[in-house]
Amino acid sequence: MIKQKGLLFILSGPSGVGKGTVRKEIFARKPDLKYSISMTTRERRKGEREGIDYYYKTREEFETLIKQNKLLEYAEYVNNYYGTPREFVEKQLTDGYDVFLEIEVQGALQVKKNFPEGVFIFLLPPSLEELKNRIMHRGTESLELVRNRLNEAKNEINMMDAYDYVVVNDDVRHAASKVQSIIQSEHLKRERVAYQYKKLLEVE
Amino acid sequence: MIKQKGLLFILSGPSGVGKGTVRKEIFARKPDLKYSISMTTRERRKGEREGIDYYYKTREEFETLIKQNKLLEYAEYVNNYYGTPREFVEKQLTDGYDVFLEIEVQGALQVKKNFPEGVFIFLLPPSLEELKNRIMHRGTESLELVRNRLNEAKNEINMMDAYDYVVVNDDVRHAASKVQSIIQSEHLKRERVAYQYKKLLEVE
């Protein structure tokens, strides 16, 4: 029995772009996809559940996992650690399931180092698109405003370079559908499928 | 005004696989896609229209076009030429439209030489999938039958190697949806989009 390994999809982008909303929309459609639950040292809030919202760890436990290289990525925000447990991701992939991460840009760049074969999707705020349309069709903005916007856009573009795909979050349903297209078409890439068939033929 | 060039999609595969049916299903969904009409020297049949079913040419005209390198690909079947006019394809791409070709494997390999930046989609008959399932789950076929099937499969796999994607035509609607996912996700590739944004920023 030949089992194809799952693929790791990483949805990331600047904060405030709506990553969580797009991720929720995708999972509301019940895709054949495992969501990787993050680990954190922050306190459990009312209504949150262990292993569903987060895996909750003490600071000592978290730092031990960092030292043991058991996190695909981690970061510290407001004195708390947040990270992605490597073991869950690798187990699911080996079992043939796709895994979906929704993380910050810095985390995504760490995952890229640890797991370059992941499929990296950059969620872009619609403002760049709007900006683009404005510059192209109007040309009436003050020079300084245009320049500031272009600088923001440039920073975003620099972050983009490590990614495989760029999706503009102009509408959460459109963006979710585009991410789903990416997930489907990645499975149709010849190098993945041909490998599977070639393995099969070696059986002869 | 920055205009993105269109993409060329080539749907191909062994004869009898159902390329035409999948193409019709895709176009029945009214995609934002131009279908490239072939050129032929065969006689116009009743009900066929110039420029809709084919462009009809004499043998001399066709051979002149071959010499002038005005065909992206061509082949001769049953004493008639069939080919893809280069000019239509290039004009549509320049104008920003995606173009869709549905052609035989030999033609696709010619297009690959003339236009390597095309997106090549191989339509695979479901029999290989079936074969795969059979070999994996049963193991009751006669050795010779299994061997013949594997040889067919091997020939198909060799043709696959020039392609970017492989779609199994198990069901025409599924296959058409998969091709549409490929079309959508190809437009989301970072190297295409980033280029567009970078061009924009040079405007500053």
Side-chain angles (χ1 to χ4, degrees):
Chain A
M1 168 96 194
I2 294 161
K3 200 190 271 169
Q4 198 177 11
K5 267 193 85 176
L7 302 179
L8 178 63
F9 295 94
I10 299 95
L11 181 69
S12 185
S15 61
V17 70
K19 295 186 288 294
T21 318
V22 171
R23 184 252 302 165
K24 279 173 198 153
E25 173 68 22
I26 293 167
F27 279 87
R29 299 175 185 183
K30 307 209 176 298
D32 201 6
L33 206 57
K34 303 278 177 183
Y35 179 56
S36 162
I37 294 147
S38 293
M39 195 171 273
T40 185
T41 59
R42 83 148 164 72
E43 268 186 52
R44 186 152 74 180
R45 292 183 193 142
K46 212 178 159 175
E48 287 184 351
R49 281 166 302 172
E50 162 77 16
I52 293 190
D53 296 288
Y54 283 101
Y55 297 108
Y56 300 91
K57 298 284 173 192
T58 65
R59 225 179 147 77
E60 292 73 35
E61 287 170 334
F62 204 104
E63 287 175 347
T64 304
L65 293 170
I66 294 172
K67 278 179 204 139
Q68 295 173 336
N69 196 23
K70 288 197 171 162
L71 297 166
L72 269 186
E73 56 86 26
Y74 71 95
E76 205 173 354
Y77 297 107
V78 206
N79 276 325
N80 280 306
Y81 284 121
Y82 295 81
T84 302
R86 181 192 291 272
E87 198 182 330
F88 171 86
V89 171
E90 291 185 344
K91 170 91 172 68
Q92 300 298 324
L93 296 175
T94 305
D95 288 352
Y97 296 106
D98 290 343
V99 178
F100 191 90
L101 303 185
E102 176 238 308
I103 51 179
E104 302 296 325
V105 172
Q106 289 309 316
L109 299 178
Q110 288 179 55
V111 176
K112 179 94 181 176
K113 273 185 202 149
N114 282 313
F115 206 92
E117 64 270 43
V119 178
F120 292 80
I121 305 168
F122 192 83
L123 197 63
L124 196 67
S127 56
L128 186 61
E129 272 284 280
E130 280 165 25
L131 172 73
K132 188 184 117 194
N133 290 331
R134 189 169 300 150
I135 290 171
M136 289 184 333
H137 297 301
R138 294 192 197 166
T140 56
E141 295 282 3
S142 85
L143 196 61
E144 201 185 335
L145 185 61
V146 169
R147 223 171 247 157
N148 285 342
R149 294 242 170 121
L150 284 173
N151 278 335
E152 272 176 42
K154 278 182 184 172
N155 289 336
E156 285 174 346
I157 285 167
N158 285 337
M159 291 192 283
M160 252 193 236
D161 281 350
Y163 289 75
D164 301 300
Y165 295 95
V166 177
V167 171
V168 174
N169 188 18
D170 50 352
D171 171 283
V172 64
R173 282 167 308 170
H174 290 168
S177 297
K178 286 175 178 174
V179 172
Q180 287 187 301
S181 282
I182 292 167
I183 292 170
Q184 182 167 53
S185 70
E186 279 288 323
H187 280 282
L188 302 169
K189 281 193 168 171
R190 189 254 312 150
E191 60 265 33
R192 301 195 204 283
V193 191
Y195 167 82
Q196 205 183 3
Y197 290 133
K198 280 176 183 168
K199 269 243 146 188
L200 170 75
L201 295 177
E202 287 167 11
V203 169
E204 192 187 14
Chain B
M1 165 99 194
I2 295 161
K3 201 190 270 169
Q4 198 177 11
K5 267 192 88 174
L7 303 179
L8 178 62
F9 295 94
I10 299 96
L11 181 68
S12 185
S15 61
V17 70
K19 295 186 287 295
T21 318
V22 171
R23 184 252 301 164
K24 278 174 198 152
E25 173 68 21
I26 292 167
F27 278 88
R29 299 176 184 183
K30 306 207 176 301
D32 200 6
L33 208 55
K34 304 277 178 184
Y35 178 58
S36 161
I37 294 146
S38 294
M39 197 172 270
T40 185
T41 59
R42 83 150 165 72
E43 268 185 52
R44 186 152 74 178
R45 292 183 193 142
K46 214 180 157 174
E48 286 184 353
R49 283 166 298 172
E50 162 76 16
I52 292 190
D53 297 288
Y54 283 102
Y55 296 108
Y56 301 91
K57 299 284 171 192
T58 66
R59 224 177 150 78
E60 292 72 35
E61 288 170 331
F62 204 105
E63 287 174 347
T64 305
L65 292 170
I66 293 171
K67 278 179 205 141
Q68 295 173 336
N69 196 23
K70 289 198 169 161
L71 297 165
L72 268 186
E73 56 86 27
Y74 72 94
E76 204 172 355
Y77 297 108
V78 206
N79 278 325
N80 280 307
Y81 285 121
Y82 296 82
T84 301
R86 182 194 289 273
E87 197 181 332
F88 170 86
V89 171
E90 291 185 344
K91 170 90 170 70
Q92 300 299 324
L93 296 176
T94 305
D95 288 352
Y97 295 107
D98 290 343
V99 178
F100 191 89
L101 302 184
E102 176 237 308
I103 51 178
E104 302 297 325
V105 173
Q106 289 310 317
L109 299 178
Q110 288 179 55
V111 176
K112 178 94 183 176
K113 273 184 200 148
N114 283 312
F115 206 91
E117 64 271 40
V119 178
F120 293 80
I121 304 169
F122 192 83
L123 198 64
L124 196 68
S127 56
L128 186 62
E129 271 283 281
E130 281 166 23
L131 172 73
K132 189 185 116 192
N133 289 332
R134 190 169 298 149
I135 290 172
M136 289 188 330
H137 298 302
R138 294 193 197 165
T140 56
E141 295 282 3
S142 86
L143 196 60
E144 202 185 335
L145 185 60
V146 169
R147 224 171 247 157
N148 284 343
R149 296 244 169 118
L150 284 173
N151 278 335
E152 274 175 41
K154 278 182 185 171
N155 289 336
E156 286 175 344
I157 285 166
N158 286 337
M159 291 191 284
M160 250 192 239
D161 281 351
Y163 290 75
D164 301 299
Y165 294 95
V166 176
V167 170
V168 175
N169 188 17
D170 50 353
D171 171 283
V172 64
R173 282 167 307 169
H174 290 169
S177 296
K178 285 174 179 174
V179 172
Q180 288 187 300
S181 281
I182 292 167
I183 294 170
Q184 181 167 53
S185 70
E186 278 288 323
H187 280 281
L188 301 171
K189 280 192 168 172
R190 190 253 313 150
E191 60 266 33
R192 300 196 204 285
V193 191
Y195 167 82
Q196 205 184 3
Y197 289 132
K198 280 174 184 168
K199 268 244 149 190
L200 169 76
L201 295 177
E202 287 167 11
V203 169
E204 192 188 15

